[in-house]
Amino acid sequence: MRRGRLRVYLGAAPGVGKTVAMLGEGRRRAERGQDVVVAVVETHGRAHTAAAAEGLEHVPRRRLAHPASPGTVLEEMDVDAVLARTPRHALVDELAHTNAPGSRHAKRWQDVEELLAAGIDVTTTVNVQHLESLNDVVAQITGVRQRETVPDDVVRSADAVELVDMSPQALRRRLAHGNVYAAERVDAALSNYFRVGNLTALRELALLWTADRVDAALALYRAEQGIDAPWGARERVVVALTGGPEGDALVRRAARVTQRAAGGELLALHVSRSDGLTGAAPDALARQRLLAESLGGSWHSVVGEDVATAILDFARGVNATHVVVGTSRRGRLAAALSPGVGQRVIDGSGDIDVHVVTHEAAAGRRGRAGARSAVPALPARRRAAGWALSVAGPAALTWLLHLTRVNHELPSELLLFLALVVGVALVGGMWPALLAALLSGLLANWFFTPPYRTLTIAEPANAVALLVLVSVGAAVAAVVDTAARRAREAARARAEADVLATLAGSVLRGAQAVPALLDRLVETFGLRGAALLERTRDAPGAADDGWRVLASTGCPPPVSPEAADASLPVDEHLSIALCGAPLSASDLRVLTAVAAQAGSLLERDRLREAARTARREEERTATRTALLAAVSHDLRTPLASVKASASTLRAFGAELDPADREVLLADVETSADRLQALVDNLLDMSRLDAGAVRARREAVALDEVVPRALAGLAPEQAAGVVLDVPEDLPLVDADAGLLERALGNVVENALRHAVPHAPGRPVEVTAGVVDDGGRRVVVRVVDRGPGIPDDRKAAAFSAFQRLGDAPGTLGVGLGLAVARGLVEASGGTVEADDTPGGGLTVVFSLPVAARVPAGPPSTREVPA
């Protein structure tokens, strides 16, 4: 069976017309004779949407009873009915929708996957804010976190994604005309979610996401068709970097080229040779990488024997339209002998535009050659020994050969001189070996080549032999010197890599990146201390008072980079100050590479803290929103009751009989009690959140505390509670007042939810010792109500959670949250468990008191 095809209509916000576009597509298919059904469509009361759905066949929906709200019936797409109908095409609205409990799948997109697997083509709709990868971005823009999301892969795998676009101004006009929401919701929507800035940002997200998908489809098509030539559908600029001093200028120039066209992409590329010995400074590469990323680019590193070929292969692979390279730093002679990387890139670029950027380093001889000469291949002691051997060695060998002249011929003598040159090259490097080769040739010519003791050479063969001696000696010296240099560079690179890997690992494993980095620096390089300093804004040019310490370890931190033994600038505002012994050049090289990462680590820590702050603010905002939503009803209802009763008493008090007057007064008293309980819970919750509740723990007798906790119940409520608290229970270590309030809240909650569900079945309050050595006592509040699903038990103890909410529900969902907070402040725990046979059991676990108190237990209450 073939798999069905998926078409997605993507929108930036509700109301842009996705559902109407989907229904229009279904109508066009039906007019062409295709079998089309509407599996589910959400009209949200919009007349034009309902009109667009008329005339199409609708599959009846499945009706499900809400398990937590008896009497509430929910409608969902009937997957089995659609599969049994086997249409050619199905229209499924709102792909990110969360199905009701009891459905086959948790999400509607999973229902769509089943339809596609059955060979049914599906057309669906989704808003950009429901894409999983954009959830955090949308929440940051709009201040609203979407709870219903769909994985990006589901939408990306669609056979067609069509963007339903509309300008923010047009959408706001549509909203103002009442075509999106009901009239009473329009003003709030226009001033909150549907602000012009929000809609513009969401529209840009939708356009960019769609453009990325189109770009991926284009890359796939070019790969399938074997098209190597770049297509300039989107500006992509590749800047080639070597780690040289011109790198910063190249990155900035490439960024300017990228910004000339909207949607351009900057790619910074570094090509490493396969032997890993390019001479590029890691600190310079790290700095250029940070610069490229700060300008919106991405960093890429490839390995290749030929740099120019690697640059062009990468550029064609990413469909680049521009390549930016720097002017060659080689001298005129080298440029005349062979073309540089830039020229070879130009020669092989084809349709790719190549920008050759001049820079200050182009006129000099700085760069890789300078970097190589700055680091000697051999230690100074070996170089001195090589120079001494280059002078004394040929003289000593000449003396020995002269003493044994009768035992050998010229070829043997020249081979011995060549062996001496190789030995000098191994000891002292290239230049001493060249001197040894020159002296050996002169001495061999003077003493061992006829005519003797003259520089004249009689036989051409002898002249060739002497020339070969000097040439081979020079070549061997160069090879040995290069091998020694590369071995030394490889050893240094490996040591630096080990240090950087160790530092990076410790930082990644640490919770705080910057302190971990400083600790590892001090440990690795044997320093006394290190500090990260930031220049203050009010004194940018000051020395001692213009810096502040962000993080430090070891010795007292220096107050400025000038006061430190060594300092490593991170950028113009940050510097790492070091205390300890002087560092070698190689150590400073590694430290500079590490310092280049300090700024990004600091920024990461600050962003992480900002995210935590934003998350806390989001939670507080959600709490305030839930509080207003819940309290708006629970305050208004008793206040309205009090006002109605008081107004009746004022207007008709003299005419009322005593029984009616008593009913009105009781209504006023009951409503006031509800208000008092609500205010008490709100105050308790705020005190718990602020950490203002301080428990006075002491030995408490449960057989005294539990009855007092139920003393505030109305007589008809108290009749529905059965107590089983033995008098011989051990005393518990708790705050009596907090424990009373917690037990009272839980019992009231059980009476409120369980008694209407199971009339005639009382709430049981029992207590006993846990079988774990007698160290804990548990109190159980058992009801026979509807219970709480396992996946909602943890949420039930959060503030403002009301399972099975209905307009007439009493309370704001604070009872269990306050109870847990009070018990935990008193040293115990509260958990929810299932009651055998149905219902909820709330279990209080309290520690046994260590000693008997001298006086009676405390009965104080939490101050309101």
Side-chain angles (χ1 to χ4, degrees), residues 627-652:
L627 173 62
L628 292 175
V631 173
S632 61
H633 173 268
D634 291 281
L635 280 178
R636 184 168 58 247
T637 301
L639 284 175
S641 178
V642 169
K643 180 175 177 58
S645 299
S647 299
T648 302
L649 288 171
R650 177 184 291 275
F652 307 103

Side-chain angles (χ1 to χ4, degrees), residues 520-817:
R520 293 301 299 172
L521 283 178
V522 171
E523 178 182 347
T524 303
F525 295 98
L527 302 172
R528 294 199 311 272
L532 179 62
L533 307 179
E534 182 179 39
R535 191 186 299 273
T536 56
R537 294 182 178 178
D538 54 346
D544 292 346
D545 58 347
W547 296 86
R548 64 189 181 97
V549 179
L550 298 178
S552 64
T553 185
C555 66
V559 295
S560 69
E562 293 77 8
D565 295 332
S567 63
L568 301 169
V570 178
D571 54 34
E572 59 181 356
H573 301 294
L574 296 173
S575 181
I576 295 180
L578 307 174
C579 300
L583 299 174
S584 64
S586 60
D587 289 342
L588 287 175
R589 177 185 174 95
V590 177
L591 285 171
T592 304
V594 176
Q597 304 297 326
S600 59
L601 293 177
L602 178 64
E603 184 68 16
R604 189 189 73 178
D605 285 347
R606 287 177 171 174
L607 289 176
R608 183 181 297 169
E609 181 60 31
R612 283 196 291 263
T613 302
R615 191 159 46 249
R616 289 194 295 266
E617 182 61 29
E618 181 183 356
E619 292 172 355
R620 284 195 291 267
T621 301
T623 299
R624 286 193 294 268
T625 302
L627 173 62
L628 292 175
V631 173
S632 61
H633 173 268
D634 291 281
L635 280 178
R636 184 168 58 247
T637 301
L639 284 175
S641 178
V642 169
K643 180 175 177 58
S645 299
S647 299
T648 302
L649 288 171
R650 177 184 291 275
F652 307 103
E655 304 173 6
L656 294 174
D657 57 40
D660 292 337
R661 186 182 298 108
E662 185 63 29
V663 170
L664 292 173
L665 291 174
D667 190 22
V668 171
E669 184 178 9
T670 301
S671 299
D673 290 340
R674 287 180 59 188
L675 286 174
Q676 181 65 42
L678 174 62
V679 172
D680 287 345
N681 277 342
L682 289 173
L683 290 175
D684 286 346
M685 199 69 239
S686 64
R687 288 166 56 83
L688 288 169
D689 287 341
V693 175
R694 297 293 182 266
R696 189 179 66 188
R697 297 172 61 175
E698 54 191 354
V700 176
L702 286 178
D703 60 320
E704 299 178 4
V705 172
V706 175
R708 286 201 302 268
L710 307 181
L713 298 176
E716 62 274 12
Q717 289 181 315
V721 180
V722 176
L723 293 182
D724 182 12
V725 182
E727 297 182 358
D728 58 349
L729 284 176
L731 301 179
V732 297
D733 185 17
D735 185 301
L738 301 182
L739 186 56
E740 288 177 21
R741 174 64 66 81
L743 283 170
N745 276 359
V746 173
V747 172
E748 289 180 4
N749 187 79
L751 290 170
R752 183 182 302 119
H753 294 282
V755 172
H757 186 271
R761 307 195 68 176
V763 173
E764 301 175 8
V765 181
T766 64
V769 179
V770 178
D771 188 17
D772 64 347
R775 293 187 298 273
R776 300 191 72 81
V777 175
V778 296
V779 179
R780 293 181 172 87
V781 180
V782 183
D783 67 52
R784 307 291 176 178
I788 300 177
D790 290 339
D791 59 344
R792 299 292 304 276
K793 284 187 171 64
F797 288 96
S798 301
F800 312 111
Q801 296 294 320
R802 298 189 297 181
L803 298 181
D805 279 347
T809 304
L810 300 178
V812 295
L814 283 174
L816 293 181

Side-chain angles (χ1 to χ4, degrees), residues 379-391:
R381 180 176 300 178
R382 286 187 58 179
R383 295 199 306 274
W387 284 112
L389 186 59
S390 67
V391 175

Side-chain angles (χ1 to χ4, degrees), residues 117 126 188 304 417 446 527 766:
V126 69
F417 277 111
W446 185 270
L527 302 172
T766 64

Side-chain angles (χ1 to χ4, degrees), residues 502-514 516-518 520 601 604:
T502 303
L503 291 172
S506 63
V507 170
L508 292 176
R509 289 189 296 270
Q512 295 293 327
V514 175
L517 176 66
L518 296 179
R520 293 301 299 172
L601 293 177
R604 189 189 73 178

Side-chain angles (χ1 to χ4, degrees), residues 44 105 363 477 518 557:
H44 299 291
H105 301 119
L518 296 179

